[in-house]
Amino acid sequence: MPERTIFFAHEPILHVTAPLPEAQLIESRLINILHFQTLIASKAARSVLVAPDKLLVDFGMRRAHGAEAGLLAARAAYLAGFSGTATVQASQRFGVPVYGTMAHSFVQAHDDEVEAFEHFALANPDNVVLLLDNYDTESAAEKTVELARRLNAQGIEVKGVRLDSGDLAEHARRVRRIFDDGGLPNVTIFASGNLDECKLHDLLASGAPIDGFGIGSRLDVSADAPYLDCAYKLQEYAGRPRRKRSEGKATWPGRKQVYRAFVEGVMAGDVVTLQGDPHPGQPLLCEVMNNGQRVGTAKPLLELRQYAAENLSQLPPRLKQIEGDAPYSVTISRAVRELARSIDQSAYERSLP
């Protein structure tokens, strides 16, 4: 399936045809790449569905399980619809937009909080986003109002502030009130601190005036669902279909295709069938390599991101909700079931004395 495609349980997402030693050689690395980025993109997509109009930034590099994981998480989150990342190398490697604020240590290195804010603004006049929660959040907001007037005289604008601790909703309300009363209605409020899609849902449902979110720890390790049960299994060998029949891990044999039906532009159900057994709908598996060579060119990440947004928009409304466990119809075709039955029957006959 092309990268950016939404898929569901029991569906094949990759089909490799190769001599057995070659196919086996790539197994672990292939699953590692596909599994991890699918996991993070899925987690990120849930935040995008909850807060589609908000600035969402990947903040998870520090919690990721290694440097490569942090880079790939930034890429996967951006593909799924995040606005960007705080991981600078992801911009250099993949073109992911970079966002950042200021460090707690920068403020703490100064004896005076206002002086820290001013030094940061003078050093970064085009991106003044101040961190308010080092000492007292509301006091820092009031200091920001006074500082903004002095900075404006120098042609520097305070773009936003960041909240990173405490009751984010209540702090946001108080800070918003301070800024509005102080003549800073355009200063945005950005929040971070152990956030995920569930906390985003609660914050937005409470009416918290927050314009953007930094999501880190729970995203880059996908804290509540840290793995997907994906597998790489032999389905055909030497021209004959193969099937694993072990309890709880049985597989469907043969080379397969997935067809997706739509009703008025909305996903209406998938059918997993054999190649050569066409069904109504859009076939999802397409050729990307032939005889060891890539077919066509790799799609730019920005284009993949646009495709992913289209895919998310095609989800049924019930699947756009983070609450509940709404089913999606994935049908195993009669052709696949008949092939499995014939293999089982042949195995049974061979076992007879």
Side-chain angles (χ1 to χ4, degrees):
M1 293 185 187
E3 189 175 22
R4 55 70 178 170
T5 304
I6 291 175
F7 67 92
F8 299 92
H10 309 300
E11 296 184 340
I13 62 170
L14 179 72
H15 176 170
V16 175
T17 302
L20 186 59
E22 294 180 13
Q24 201 70 60
L25 176 66
I26 64 174
E27 175 183 3
S28 293
R29 181 56 170 160
L30 193 60
I31 294 179
N32 170 261
I33 292 171
L34 293 177
H35 169 273
F36 179 71
Q37 290 191 81
T38 297
L39 185 72
I40 304 305
S42 301
K43 184 70 172 172
R46 290 169 60 82
S47 288
V48 172
L49 290 171
V50 168
D53 301 320
K54 299 294 184 179
L55 176 72
L56 299 176
V57 181
D58 159 48
F59 264 29
M61 177 67 174
R62 300 175 190 182
R63 301 292 189 267
H65 296 167
E68 184 190 52
L71 277 174
L72 294 183
R75 181 187 185 278
Y78 182 65
L79 185 150
F82 266 45
S83 308
T85 182
T87 302
V88 175
Q89 194 177 9
S91 174
Q92 300 166 344
R93 289 282 300 275
F94 306 124
V96 179
V98 175
Y99 291 82
T101 59
M102 66 190 303
H104 288 95
S105 60
F106 186 88
V107 178
Q108 293 171 322
H110 290 75
D111 293 329
D112 181 78
E113 187 175 34
V114 174
E115 183 181 52
F117 289 170
E118 187 167 10
H119 285 176
F120 182 84
L122 294 174
N124 301 275
D126 297 325
N127 186 39
V128 182
V129 181
L130 305 176
L131 184 56
L132 299 189
D133 76 320
N134 281 274
Y135 308 115
D136 181 278
T137 299
E138 284 72 33
S139 174
E142 292 169 352
K143 295 173 184 176
T144 299
V145 171
E146 296 300 321
L147 175 64
R149 293 169 182 156
R150 299 202 305 273
L151 293 175
N152 283 339
Q154 303 175 61
I156 299 174
E157 180 184 3
V158 176
K159 291 176 59 178
V161 297
R162 175 179 157 209
L163 311 178
D164 189 54
S165 58
D167 185 335
L168 294 175
E170 186 57 31
H171 281 310
R173 293 187 187 96
R174 294 174 183 173
V175 169
R176 181 77 275 157
R177 191 178 306 116
I178 291 169
F179 286 163
D180 290 348
D181 293 344
L184 299 179
N186 295 324
V187 172
T188 61
I189 297 176
F190 185 84
S192 58
N194 292 319
L195 299 178
D196 61 9
E197 70 272 24
C198 296
K199 291 191 176 182
L200 259 63
H201 177 270
D202 293 344
L203 285 168
L204 295 176
S206 74
I210 299 175
D211 304 290
F213 300 91
I215 304 174
S217 300
R218 296 173 184 269
L219 170 65
D220 281 36
V221 300
S222 189
D224 60 334
Y227 69 93
L228 299 175
D229 189 14
C230 62
Y232 184 73
K233 298 299 181 183
L234 185 69
Q235 306 297 289
E236 181 180 287
Y237 182 70
R240 293 174 53 195
R242 306 287 170 155
R243 165 171 158 82
K244 184 178 180 181
R245 301 193 303 276
S246 55
E247 182 180 355
K249 293 188 176 183
T251 61
W252 297 109
R255 305 186 186 200
K256 290 178 281 295
Q257 178 59 275
V258 181
Y259 289 89
R260 175 161 294 162
F262 294 85
V263 174
E264 297 182 351
V266 176
M267 298 177 191
D270 295 356
V271 176
V272 179
T273 190
L274 299 176
Q275 287 185 2
D277 178 40
H279 279 249
Q282 175 188 349
L284 299 185
L285 288 160
C286 61
E287 188 178 54
V288 294
M289 295 188 71
N290 188 296
N291 197 31
Q293 300 296 318
R294 182 192 294 272
V295 176
T297 57
K299 299 291 186 183
L301 182 56
L302 183 58
E303 185 175 334
L304 294 173
R305 185 173 184 268
Q306 292 167 344
Y307 284 140
E310 292 175 9
N311 259 231
L312 287 175
S313 72
Q314 294 168 339
L315 280 171
R318 68 183 187 278
L319 296 185
K320 295 180 181 180
Q321 309 300 316
I322 65 168
E323 299 172 343
D325 188 19
Y328 179 82
S329 173
V330 176
T331 301
I332 306 301
S333 73
R334 180 177 179 180
V336 172
R337 294 182 181 277
E338 284 295 320
L339 181 60
R341 187 197 62 77
S342 67
I343 292 174
D344 293 350
Q345 181 64 30
S346 296
Y348 170 74
E349 292 173 353
R350 289 196 302 271
S351 69
L352 295 177

